[in-house]
Amino acid sequence: MPICDPDGAVLDRATLERWLREDDPERLAALYAYADRVRAQEVGDAVHLRGLIELSNICRCRCSYCGIGVELRDLSRYRLDEAQVLWSAARAVRCGYGSVVLQAGEDSGLEVGWVAALIERLRRETGLAISLSLGQRSHHELSRWRAAGADRYLARFETSDPTLYAALHPHAPEVERRIALLYQLRALGYQVGSGMLVGLPGQSYRSLTNDLLLLHRLGLQMVGLGPFLPHPETPLGRGEGPAPLAEGEQVPASAELTCKAVALTRLLLPRAHIPSTTALATFGAEARASGLGRGANVVMPNVGPPALRALYAIYPAKGQVDESLERFDQRLGRLLAKLGRYPGVGPGHAS
Ligand code: 5AD
């Protein structure tokens, strides 16, 4: 059966772009209601909670949007030790979460054997499902970590536009390499997640439409997407790099555009796990709720050491910074109840 929009139109390039440009509130309400129905039907009302552990903010890359790139010399750098990771994972278990995500900058000091031993220990001692988000690593490393028990791997392609990708990633300008990584991960037996930024300067509606089509072609199990949030100490934050397009062509980095992309992603990949991201939640608690009501079915609470959280400054005002996990978790519980949803139990694997 072809994948359709609420009007029964096939979700081809023209239809997707039209929806991204739609600004009639009634039309959008129909899109969101339909995405929410598809979400309920295909993946149910459970919201899977993944405990995010920011393993290291050391990074060798120079992505021009990111606040932990190698050129931000004033940022203090940290790498968690094993005890800190186990402490963080124990908090995830205590909150009833079924999985954790180990995320880091591209830190070559995260040594293959150390990470493998950590994965084995986490599996043995907590039973949590494990997602990795450690960047572009060698086939040997990815394969070793899979064998050690990692279930999933997240690597956003950020934008599928080759020219824009090259402008934003001067250290690794080929988007094809990023996409090849996703195929490699699948061949290794990982559940694969990817996604993009919404509202990058120079990102057109056409280009975001291509991103959505790529998500579908890749047949991803997980999709994370969020608004681009300028960080003042990065090239994009300083206004260097690609210039915004003319009005009407440039995708805005808004909560609304992000929600449209989430809803369309749900229609394109009905069974995918889609988070309502922390980046979206920087627009406020309502934005988090609206993501969950428009197709998303995952939240990733930060379970890492609170004292280090501010150093994982990929963008400013990263949500939840001043809030304890316990308070966040309680608030999230109330939000889910209000939305008629409930926390998922178990690993929350993709099916
Ligand atoms: N604004 C929003 N998201 C960002 N990311 C990195 N920098 C920013 C920013 N300035 C996202 C990237 C990356 C993920 C971990 O965080 O998409 O893949």
Side-chain angles (χ1 to χ4, degrees), residues 210-223:
N210 287 336
D211 293 348
L212 290 168
L213 290 167
L214 178 60
L215 296 176
H216 179 249
R217 269 202 312 283
L218 290 168
L220 297 165
Q221 275 102 17
M222 297 159 291
V223 176

Side-chain angles (χ1 to χ4, degrees), residues 177-191:
R177 272 196 60 208
R178 191 71 172 176
I179 292 165
L181 168 71
L182 302 173
Y183 285 107
Q184 195 176 40
L185 290 165
R186 165 150 345 134
L188 286 168
Y190 283 98
Q191 296 167 45

Side-chain angles (χ1 to χ4, degrees), residues 4-15:
C4 294
D5 77 354
D7 308 327
V10 175
L11 274 182
D12 55 14
R13 182 187 302 281
T15 308

Side-chain angles (χ1 to χ4, degrees), residues 138-162:
S138 72
H139 187 267
H140 164 69
E141 290 169 314
L142 298 172
S143 155
R144 178 102 180 261
W145 297 337
R146 174 77 189 119
D151 304 281
R152 318 185 177 111
Y153 206 99
L154 310 173
R156 293 185 181 177
F157 55 76
E158 316 292 1
T159 170
S160 64
D161 178 327

Side-chain angles (χ1 to χ4, degrees), residues 9 35 68 73 80 125 166 169 177 193 205 219 224 249 257 273 297 318 322:
I68 65 167
R73 295 192 203 292
L80 300 189
E125 294 182 13
H169 305 97
R177 272 196 60 208
Y205 283 94
E249 282 313 308
L257 235 301
H273 285 298
N297 71 325
K318 217 149 59 65
D322 296 323

Side-chain angles (χ1 to χ4, degrees), residues 63-68 103-104 133 154-158 178 195-198 200 224-231 234 236 279 312-316 318:
C63 308
S64 45
Y65 44 82
C66 181
I68 65 167
Q103 186 169 87
S133 180
L154 310 173
R156 293 185 181 177
F157 55 76
E158 316 292 1
R178 191 71 172 176
M196 62 279 192
L197 288 163
V198 173
L200 287 163
L225 50 92
F228 158 63
L229 302 165
H231 184 302
T234 58
L236 286 195
Y312 203 84
I314 46 184
Y315 48 80
K318 217 149 59 65

Side-chain angles (χ1 to χ4, degrees), residues 22-100:
E22 182 61 66
D23 56 10
D24 175 350
E26 266 178 45
R27 297 281 298 143
L28 286 175
L31 173 68
Y32 296 148
Y34 187 57
D36 196 44
R37 262 205 324 277
V38 171
R39 186 273 308 151
Q41 209 171 66
E42 300 291 334
V43 293
D45 289 336
V47 173
H48 299 288
L49 304 176
R50 325 273 199 210
L52 179 63
I53 304 176
E54 293 164 336
L55 198 52
S56 160
N57 71 347
I58 299 170
C59 191
R60 63 185 168 81
C61 297
R62 285 181 285 132
C63 308
S64 45
Y65 44 82
C66 181
I68 65 167
V70 66
E71 283 172 349
L72 283 98
R73 295 192 203 292
D74 293 340
L75 180 67
S76 311
R77 303 288 172 163
Y78 72 86
R79 188 181 296 130
L80 300 189
D81 61 25
E82 192 179 60
Q84 288 171 307
V85 177
L86 292 170
W87 178 87
S88 308
R91 295 176 90 197
V93 171
R94 226 172 19 251
C95 289
Y97 306 163
S99 66
V100 284

